[in-house]
């Protein structure tokens, strides 16, 4: 698969399409085109759907809809990789998939790069220190939900090391489909 094909995951429910302006902003950052996604996305039902919009430098290639069921995530494997890069939402996720396959029975991974927490394989992450919700100022991918929550002053960007992660009162995962999902019952495999 060529590296210059990208995708957006967009939440649709009750025929509503969520956070379009933030997805359009990321597409513009990725390929330099301002696309009006409303011209492409027509949810086929009122169910909770995951819209997968695939595009390249020339524009939208395809739009698909899938029923969405949230994965239950309670255990995390801490995986270190100082060379991982995923600054654009490439359709080719081979490097992320290789890291995910190192999870050793855990539900999900937390990727640590240069001793700092970045993301999971499917979501940005935030920790609650007892006062504030903090998200990594160096995520692998600038997620649309993360972006919105920072704009709303609900998240603070800061470096997060492994000790901060272990001492967190709660953690939250965030992406287009799960929004800001707070976890209180979780554990880490180091």
């Amino acid at each position: 698969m060529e590296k210059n094909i990208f995708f957006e995951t967009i939440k649709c429910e009750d025929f509503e399409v969520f956070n379009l302006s933030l997805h359009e902003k990321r597409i513009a950052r990725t390929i330099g085109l301002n696309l009006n996604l409303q011209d492409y996305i027509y949810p086929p039902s009122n169910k909770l759907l995951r819209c997968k919009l695939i595009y390249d430098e020339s524009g939208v290639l395809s739009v698909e809809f899938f029923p969405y069921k949230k994965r239950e995530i309670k255990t995390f494997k801490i995986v270190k990789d100082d060379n991982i890069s995923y600054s654009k939402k490439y359709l080719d996720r081979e490097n992320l998939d290789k890291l995910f396959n190192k999870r050793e029975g855990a539900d999900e991974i937390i990727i640590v790069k240069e001793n700092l927490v970045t993301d999971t394989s499917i979501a940005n992450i935030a920790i609650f220190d007892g006062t504030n919700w903090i998200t990594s100022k160096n995520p692998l991918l600038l997620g649309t939900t993360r972006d919105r929550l920072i704009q709303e002053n609900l998240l603070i960007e800061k470096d997060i090391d492994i000790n901060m992660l272990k001492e967190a009162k709660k953690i939250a995962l965030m992406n287009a489909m799960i929004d800001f999902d707070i976890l209180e019952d979780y554990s880490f495999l180091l």
Side-chain angles (χ1 to χ4, degrees):
M1 181 124 347
E2 293 182 26
K3 285 258 184 196
N4 61 349
I5 299 176
F6 311 96
F7 76 104
E8 288 292 311
T9 299
I10 302 168
K11 180 180 177 179
C12 302
E13 189 171 25
D14 290 331
F15 299 105
E16 184 179 348
V17 183
F18 291 80
N19 297 321
L20 270 187
S21 64
L22 292 171
H23 290 286
E24 290 169 345
K25 181 177 155 189
R26 182 162 58 194
I27 290 171
R29 263 196 327 259
T30 300
I31 60 169
L33 286 180
N34 291 314
L35 299 176
N36 181 354
L37 295 183
Q38 285 184 321
D39 293 343
Y40 299 94
I41 302 173
Y42 300 98
S45 82
N46 64 348
K47 294 185 170 102
L48 175 60
L49 300 172
R50 177 176 60 92
C51 172
K52 186 173 187 178
L53 182 130
I54 299 173
Y55 66 100
D56 66 9
E57 288 85 358
S58 66
V60 174
L61 301 174
S62 69
V63 179
E64 300 172 286
F65 295 91
F66 304 93
Y68 182 74
K69 184 174 186 322
K70 185 176 145 196
R71 271 178 43 204
E72 186 171 338
I73 298 174
K74 289 185 178 255
T75 56
F76 295 89
K77 170 73 178 168
I78 308 294
V79 178
K80 295 181 182 186
D81 186 332
D82 289 344
N83 299 311
I84 186 76
S85 176
Y86 193 70
S87 61
K88 296 180 178 181
K89 198 163 175 160
Y90 294 104
L91 188 59
D92 180 352
R93 290 175 42 94
E94 181 180 358
N95 291 335
L96 286 175
D97 292 341
K98 282 180 185 173
L99 292 181
F100 183 71
N101 288 334
K102 294 180 178 182
R103 69 190 181 283
E104 296 177 5
D107 299 321
E108 183 53 77
I109 60 171
I110 294 175
I111 302 164
V112 173
K113 182 175 179 176
E114 297 170 1
N115 296 316
L116 296 174
V117 171
T118 61
D119 291 325
T120 72
S121 73
I122 58 161
N124 295 124
I125 190 168
I127 63 168
F128 186 67
D129 66 3
T131 306
N132 297 302
W133 281 101
I134 300 165
T135 192
S136 173
K137 71 178 187 182
N138 296 300
L140 294 179
L141 184 70
L142 297 172
T144 56
T145 299
R146 176 187 179 277
D147 193 14
R148 177 176 52 81
L149 295 171
I150 290 169
Q151 288 175 24
E152 294 171 359
N153 295 315
L154 298 173
L155 284 178
I156 297 169
E157 289 182 283
K158 193 172 172 180
D159 285 336
I160 301 172
D161 63 28
I162 291 184
N163 284 334
M164 291 168 70
L165 177 69
K166 287 196 254 181
E167 292 169 10
K169 309 291 184 228
K170 303 175 198 172
I171 64 173
L173 303 182
M174 62 196 121
N175 68 28
M177 293 305 299
I178 62 174
D179 198 51
F180 191 74
D181 187 28
I182 298 171
L183 306 179
E184 297 186 45
D185 178 18
Y186 59 89
S187 60
F188 303 117
L189 305 173
L190 300 176

